[in-house]
């Protein structure tokens, strides 16, 4: 039997990029998957159908803005009822709005903090009771190496991603005696639509600083998340694992 057979994994921002690879990998390991994303119904349904077909699990899409507290509480309640609870929560949805601080608007600050950080308060709060009741649960938050070492022109993003690490450690401490693990993964430069939309000169400069000399793939992050979601990682909590080709060592 696969490691995660019978488990239900909720992955945010999973219609594409790293989130899609995470959902696909957890499904490969046997989990049924719920995708939260902001994309249109067709794109979300296609992503879920591909995963279900590839791995013979149940995979569904729910259009949910993870920065919207009420929407998250309602949608998590609905899927929990439908699936009999959630076992694995992967907080992956994120955006960038890069500018030097002097040029950064209040809207850019608020949007990034809201989608990258407040979203995790929303989802963890929505799953908290369910995890406590089961006396089990895995929470995996996607941070970034930028949250560890900072990055010029990303004050909003680095503050959010640093906040994700602090939130991870606090939730890990709150829930450690309840059989619930909370960890973070900090990716470096990964090939996704997010990095494809970056200024390509800036991207080249970034890649030149990676000790391994190349970008990572979404699957590199997904394998680390699958490990943290499994019982192989049962004694790991409050940890931040860099998957970054050595960029932030
Ligand atoms: P991506 O390709 O842009 O995918 C992000 C996904 O999140 C998209 O499907 C997007 O939906 C969804 N999303 C955005 N706002 C949302 C919201 N309010 N509610 C629900 N879903 C929302 O990004 P990625 O590169 O895969 O990044 C995934 C995570 O890894 C992010 O947290 C990012 O910060 C982190 N990360 C990425 C890298 C990298 O190099 N790529 C490095 C470090 C950390 P739409 O399609 O509707 O926009």
């Amino acid at each position: 039997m696969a490691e995660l057979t019978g488990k239900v994994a909720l992955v945010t921002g999973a219609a594409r990029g790293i989130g899609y690879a995470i959902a696909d990998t957890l499904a490969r390991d046997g989990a049924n998957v719920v995708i939260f994303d902001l994309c249109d119904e067709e794109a979300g349904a296609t992503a879920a159908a591909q995963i279900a077909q590839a791995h013979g699990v149940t995979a569904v899409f729910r259009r949910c803005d993870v920065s919207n507290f009420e929407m998250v509480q309602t949608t998590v309640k609905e899927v929990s009822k439908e699936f009999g609870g959630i076992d694995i929560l992967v907080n992956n949805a994120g955006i960038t709005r890069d500018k030097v601080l002097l040029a950064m608007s209040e809207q850019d600050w608020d949007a990034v903090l809201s989608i990258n950080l407040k979203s995790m308060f929303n989802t963890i709060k929505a799953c908290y009771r369910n995890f406590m009741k089961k006396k089990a649960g895995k929470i995996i938050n996607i941070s970034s190496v930028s949250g560890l070492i900072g990055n010029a022109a990303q004050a909003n993003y680095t503050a959010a991603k640093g906040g994700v690490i602090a939130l991870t450690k606090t939730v890990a401490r709150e829930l450690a005696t309840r059989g619930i693990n909370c960890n973070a993964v900090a990716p470096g430069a990964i090939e996704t639509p997010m990095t494809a939309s970056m200024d390509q000169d800036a991207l080249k400069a970034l890649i030149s600083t990676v000790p391994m000399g190349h970008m990572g793939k979404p699957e590199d992050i997904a394998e680390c998340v699958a490990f943290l979601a499994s019982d192989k990682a049962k004694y790991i909590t409050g940890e931040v694992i860099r998957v970054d080709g050595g960029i932030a060592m």
Side-chain angles (χ1 to χ4, degrees):
M1 198 163 60
E3 179 85 32
L4 302 179
T5 299
K7 305 284 184 198
V8 178
L10 166 56
V11 188
T12 71
R16 68 172 199 219
I18 292 172
Y20 179 85
I22 293 170
D24 188 61
T25 304
L26 297 179
R28 178 204 67 192
D29 290 353
N32 294 316
V33 167
V34 180
I35 293 173
F36 276 11
D37 204 287
L38 259 193
C39 65
D40 61 50
E41 288 291 339
E42 197 185 333
T46 302
Q50 278 169 357
I51 290 173
Q53 200 178 6
H55 306 294
V57 299
T58 302
V60 298
F61 164 69
R62 293 290 178 270
R63 192 166 193 282
C64 181
D65 177 355
V66 290
S67 67
N68 181 321
F69 182 81
E70 288 305 331
M71 191 184 281
V72 170
Q73 307 314 301
T74 307
T75 318
V76 167
K77 207 182 234 176
E78 284 167 8
V79 293
S80 292
K81 204 167 161 200
E82 194 180 330
F83 283 86
I86 288 163
D87 303 290
I88 301 160
L89 168 65
V90 184
N91 285 310
N92 164 80
I95 61 163
T96 51
R97 295 277 186 277
D98 297 352
K99 276 196 181 82
V100 291
L101 194 134
L102 196 61
M104 188 174 284
S105 68
E106 187 186 359
Q107 287 82 357
D108 287 341
W109 175 271
D110 287 346
V112 169
L113 267 289
S114 186
I115 294 173
N116 294 44
L117 181 58
K118 187 196 166 201
S119 62
M120 300 197 186
F121 167 75
N122 295 343
T123 54
I124 293 169
K125 198 163 162 77
C127 293
Y128 203 101
R129 268 206 188 87
N130 155 52
F131 285 151
M132 297 261 285
K133 221 154 99 189
K134 287 190 172 208
K135 290 193 171 55
K138 307 279 186 190
I139 303 169
I140 299 136
N141 299 324
I142 305 302
S143 177
S144 167
V145 290
S146 302
L148 288 166
I149 57 175
N151 197 20
Q154 286 197 316
N156 48 5
Y157 187 76
T158 55
K161 293 300 192 182
V164 167
I165 291 168
L167 173 71
T168 299
K169 293 180 180 185
T170 296
V171 172
R173 284 183 187 278
E174 282 189 21
L175 296 176
T177 59
R178 310 288 181 139
I180 299 156
N181 307 65
C182 183
N183 291 292
V185 176
I190 309 297
E191 288 172 19
T192 70
M194 182 185 270
T195 40
S197 69
M198 270 176 77
D199 175 86
Q200 291 306 293
D201 288 337
L203 187 59
K204 265 192 204 139
L206 177 67
I207 297 165
S208 72
T209 66
V210 181
M212 285 188 177
H214 59 85
M215 293 176 79
K217 305 263 187 223
E219 294 71 26
D220 296 323
I221 309 305
E223 291 297 350
C224 184
V225 171
F227 165 67
L228 289 171
S230 76
D231 266 348
K232 291 175 194 147
K234 65 182 187 309
Y235 201 55
I236 300 176
T237 201
E239 185 57 271
V240 185
I241 302 184
R242 289 184 298 106
V243 182
D244 67 348
I247 202 169
M249 72 174 124

